[in-house]
């Protein structure tokens, strides 16, 4: 490593510390402002021309948001349609019908696994709270249950939603890495699901069974009354199970077909180009939203004005996430243009750390310190990108999953999800730590182990 490499690495470390201080100190900077200020600091410290700093910020923010912003917006719209029409509730109810109380945690994990494919963690949890509380209350009333039924039912849901949010596209976190690494989204989805299944089992039903007898959590009575006794739907034609499941699976199947097409068709053929077009994240999600609009909206004679207003309302909660993504892209572009990536390549060569392990560690540290899994993913993606350019043998799809799992590790007080779980379930700080913090730490570690194992198996062949 040259002296310039050490200088750039020191600048990088200082910039990350600055980012952490700006977000977590009493200054309480918004992550977007913190990322932009840190990007400017890196540019000046590394000696970039003033005009180059501005160009890097505009290029990084624009390209990152352009690649993922529309997909995120479409995903939010799809989730809103599913929620408002009762399709999500139908999916969960179908999975849970005729289940014994011992099967309920496993089936709730399955319901959250399916519902979590297109939905953000927070959205999925809020949507499933009525079902969680209703089932938990019935379980509490009908059985001599040791511990908290709300923990028994809630932990598998938290584990499944968190795992899908960080490790499986079309969630924005994995999409950021997929677009930057030019990874195959279908293969990434397959690897992500393979890694997610054992992760959800361990962090969900199994850990839930361990922690449930040790907690006596019960939500606030007003909240419990509201959620556990929902109003009956006035719709005389409820959504069918087939329609509900097909709506949520349309974009997923299209992305998977794109991956499968690469096995059977040459890239230059019309067949492959067709599947490539239809399986691209934007087109797949766009068609999924159109399918949901037609089948769950227009064909069921829904009020079109309310439907349009609902879709507009779905974009408001994700505006902040999209801006953070843009700021992260700006920060990453300045790092890249400063030559930090080359210095990291040299550092990796010295320590002989695998790209998967390094990506997981960087994402975890950034997520823990800043309270944002998105910042962790964006930072790790941009820092690891030069390694991919220097070593084409690195598995881009598994690296994407590893970075996503690292961003989930140790969700604590500076994460919004921590407070959502705490307030929703009426938990103390200690009870919240024993649930979402430990659950997501298990998810992060299991995700790392699974990606390393899968990478080992793939390399054998």
């Amino acid at each position: 490593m040259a002296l310039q490499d050490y200088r750039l690495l020191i600048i990088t470390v200082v910039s990350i510390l600055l980012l952490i201080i700006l977000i977590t100190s009493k200054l309480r900077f918004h992550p977007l402002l913190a990322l932009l200020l840190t990007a400017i600091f890196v540019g000046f410290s590394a000696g970039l021309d003033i005009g180059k700093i501005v160009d890097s910020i505009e290029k990084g923010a624009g390209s990152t948001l352009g690649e993922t912003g529309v997909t995120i917006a479409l995903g939010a719209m799809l989730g809103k349609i599913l929620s408002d029409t009762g399709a999500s509730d139908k999916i969960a109810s179908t999975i849970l019908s005729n289940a014994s109380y011992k099967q309920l945690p496993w089936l709730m994990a399955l319901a959250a696994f399916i519902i979590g494919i297109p939905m953000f963690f927070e959205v999925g949890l809020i949507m499933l709270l009525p079902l969680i509380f209703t089932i938990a209350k019935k379980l509490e009333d009908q059985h001599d249950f040791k511990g908290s039924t709300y923990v028994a039912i809630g932990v598998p849901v938290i584990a499944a939603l968190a795992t899908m949010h960080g490790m499986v596209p079309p969630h924005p976190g994995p999409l950021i890495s997929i677009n930057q690494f030019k990874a195959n989204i279908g293969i990434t989805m397959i690897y992500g699901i393979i890694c997610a299944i054992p992760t959800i089992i361990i962090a969900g039903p199994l850990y839930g069974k361990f922690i449930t007898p040790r907690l006596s959590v019960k939500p606030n009575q007003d909240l419990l009354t509201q959620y556990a006794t929902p109003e009956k739907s006035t719709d005389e034609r409820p959504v069918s199970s087939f329609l509900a499941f097909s709506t949520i699976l349309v974009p997923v199947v299209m992305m998977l077909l794109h991956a499968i097409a690469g096995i059977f068709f040459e890239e230059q053929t019309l067949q492959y180009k067709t599947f490539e077009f239809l399986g691209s994240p934007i087109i797949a999600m766009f068609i999924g939203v159109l399918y949901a609009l037609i089948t769950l909206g227009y064909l069921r004679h829904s009020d079109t004005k309310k439907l349009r207003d609902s879709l507009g309302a779905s974009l408001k909660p994700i505006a902040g996430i999209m801006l953070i993504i843009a700021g992260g892209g700006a920060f990453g572009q300045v790092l890249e243009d400063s030559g930090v990536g080359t210095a990291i390549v040299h550092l990796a060569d010295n320590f002989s750390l695998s790209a998967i392990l390094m990506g997981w560690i960087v994402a975890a540290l950034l997520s823990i310190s800043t309270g944002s899994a998105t910042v962790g993913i964006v930072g790790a993606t941009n820092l690891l990108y030069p390694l991919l350019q220097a070593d084409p043998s690195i598995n881009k799809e598994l690296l994407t999953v590893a970075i996503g799992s690292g961003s989930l590790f140790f969700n604590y007080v500076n994460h919004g999800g921590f407070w959502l779980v705490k307030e929703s379930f009426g938990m103390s700080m200690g009870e919240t730590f024993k649930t979402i913090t430990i659950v997501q730490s298990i998810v992060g570690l299991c995700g790392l182990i699974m990606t390393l194992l899968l990478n080992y198996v793939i390399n054998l062949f």
Side-chain angles (χ1 to χ4, degrees), residues 7-64:
R7 178 173 170 269
L8 289 172
L9 288 174
I10 291 173
I11 291 173
T12 303
V13 172
V14 173
S15 69
I16 292 174
L17 291 175
L18 174 62
L19 182 63
I20 294 169
I21 291 171
L22 289 174
I23 294 176
T24 62
S25 70
K26 292 182 178 180
L27 295 174
R28 301 296 182 192
F29 263 52
H30 187 278
L32 172 63
L33 298 178
L35 285 163
L36 291 176
L37 181 58
T38 305
I40 294 172
F41 166 79
V42 171
F44 278 113
S45 301
L48 289 181
D49 180 79
I50 293 176
K52 180 62 176 175
I53 295 174
V54 175
D55 290 342
S56 296
I57 290 174
E58 291 178 351
K59 178 183 177 182
S63 61
T64 302

Side-chain angles (χ1 to χ4, degrees), residues 62-78 120 170 172 175 179 281-286 289 315 318 322 325:
S63 61
T64 302
L65 190 58
E67 289 174 340
T68 61
V70 177
T71 306
I72 295 170
L74 291 170
M77 287 183 172
L78 179 58
F120 295 102
L175 281 178
N179 289 322
I282 288 180
I283 300 301
M285 292 299 296
F286 176 62
V289 172
L315 300 178
I318 66 169
M322 294 171 70
I325 290 173

Side-chain angles (χ1 to χ4, degrees), residues 67-68 70-72 74-75 169-171 174-176 178-179 183-186 189 251-252 254-255 258 275-289:
E67 289 174 340
T68 61
V70 177
T71 306
I72 295 170
L74 291 170
H171 283 286
L175 281 178
I176 293 168
I178 288 169
N179 289 322
N184 185 298
I185 188 169
M189 184 177 289
V252 177
M254 293 178 68
M255 293 180 199
H258 174 207
F275 282 110
E276 183 182 32
F277 172 76
L278 295 175
S280 63
I282 288 180
I283 300 301
M285 292 299 296
F286 176 62
I287 293 175
V289 172

